[in-house]
Amino acid sequence: MDFKKILTPILSIIAFLALWEFIVWVNGWPNYVMASPSDLPAAYIRYWQLFLIDSWQTLWRTVAGLALAIVFGTFLGMVMGFSKTARDALYPLLVGFNAIPKATVVPVLALLFIGAHDFNTVLMAFMISFFPIAVSVGIGLSTLEPEYRDILGALGASKFTIFRKIALPKTLPEFFGALKVSVTLAFIGTNLVEIISPHGKGLGALFLSGQTNGDYPLMFAVLIALAFLGILLYYAVVALEKIFAGWAERQPG
């Protein structure tokens, strides 16, 4: 086990928390202006049940939206990767859709699917996270060396076989790189709905409760909890990457 890889991020987190504590202390900010890390344990102890329940609510809806993004984004990337016509037709639509601030879409979803809070949240997590996956898979497939396709095609291989034997392994590094970005985007989508269209579920709703009551330690405790969940899901993707695309990792010289 490489302890350096484990120790380095832990030390960076401790340094960040220490710097945060120092900045609050130097400026003499009370916790109703800027909470410090030392203010957060009391919030976690007081609201531990809410943190457990709401963290699960946020996590499962984020993962569900991300799973949909993986399926749809991979399919769309395959279509664009294997067809230049589809790529030329879909890219402007994808770029335009991705440029729309997703916060403006939340009220639209709330009106279209009244009362379907879980569906709206999963849908927003999906909408905000599929773009990097679709683009990375599309680019990975479109840059596949044509001689590979020609040789396998001449041997009678189907497009699916070409994809499975050549294109898929080549695309995996780009796919996992995009998936790491999509993980954080999915959390943003989930919390947009939880905060802008509150329904009493998820860490976003708990953050809004802290804001309403002027409980700044609770608000910052929610932000740290969100960061923790994001890191957890990110390293889950890293673990999958090592299993399926570990061969692509190059050690620095």
Side-chain angles (χ1 to χ4, degrees), residues 27-41:
N27 288 279
W29 289 326
N31 63 12
Y32 57 82
V33 173
M34 178 70 172
S36 64
S38 58
D39 294 322
L40 306 188

Side-chain angles (χ1 to χ4, degrees), residues 37-54:
S38 58
D39 294 322
L40 306 188
Y44 288 124
I45 293 170
R46 183 177 180 184
Y47 302 106
W48 68 270
Q49 287 182 311
L50 288 176
F51 271 103
L52 286 178
I53 295 170
D54 289 331

Side-chain angles (χ1 to χ4, degrees), residues 91-162:
Y91 252 96
L93 296 175
L94 288 174
V95 172
F97 175 79
N98 197 56
I100 298 173
K102 298 304 181 288
T104 62
V105 181
V106 175
V108 177
L109 294 179
L111 289 174
L112 285 175
F113 308 105
I114 298 175
H117 301 304
D118 287 340
F119 177 78
N120 288 345
T121 309
V122 171
L123 183 60
M124 179 55 68
F126 155 73
M127 290 170 62
I128 204 171
S129 61
F130 81 90
F131 180 78
I133 297 173
V135 170
S136 67
V137 172
I139 292 174
L141 293 178
S142 64
T143 55
L144 179 66
E145 290 80 356
E147 52 268 25
Y148 289 150
R149 296 184 186 180
D150 295 340
I151 293 172
L152 289 175
L155 293 174
S158 64
K159 281 193 173 183
F160 177 75
T161 302
I162 295 173

Side-chain angles (χ1 to χ4, degrees), residues 108-245:
V108 177
L109 294 179
L111 289 174
L112 285 175
F113 308 105
I114 298 175
H117 301 304
D118 287 340
F119 177 78
N120 288 345
T121 309
V122 171
L123 183 60
M124 179 55 68
F126 155 73
M127 290 170 62
I128 204 171
S129 61
F130 81 90
F131 180 78
I133 297 173
V135 170
S136 67
V137 172
I139 292 174
L141 293 178
S142 64
T143 55
L144 179 66
E145 290 80 356
E147 52 268 25
Y148 289 150
R149 296 184 186 180
D150 295 340
I151 293 172
L152 289 175
L155 293 174
S158 64
K159 281 193 173 183
F160 177 75
T161 302
I162 295 173
F163 172 76
R164 185 168 60 88
K165 295 290 187 180
I166 302 296
L168 180 60
K170 181 184 182 300
T171 309
L172 279 177
E174 290 89 348
F175 168 78
F176 279 107
L179 189 55
K180 291 173 186 176
V181 176
S182 293
V183 162
T184 57
L185 293 177
F187 271 107
I188 293 172
T190 302
N191 282 276
L192 272 176
V193 178
E194 290 175 351
I195 293 173
I196 297 177
S197 180
H199 43 79
K201 291 182 180 179
L203 289 174
L206 190 58
F207 178 87
L208 196 63
S209 174
Q211 184 183 40
T212 303
N213 296 304
D215 191 341
Y216 285 81
L218 174 59
M219 293 168 62
F220 279 93
V222 169
L223 295 179
I224 295 300
L226 284 170
F228 174 77
L229 290 179
I231 293 171
L232 195 67
L233 210 52
Y234 174 87
Y235 278 105
V237 172
V238 170
L240 290 174
E241 183 183 26
K242 287 186 179 298
I243 294 172
F244 295 105

Side-chain angles (χ1 to χ4, degrees), residues 57-65 118 121-122 125 194 199 201-202:
Q57 289 289 333
T58 294
L59 183 61
W60 82 257
R61 287 182 290 192
T62 300
V63 171
D118 287 340
T121 309
V122 171
E194 290 175 351
H199 43 79
K201 291 182 180 179

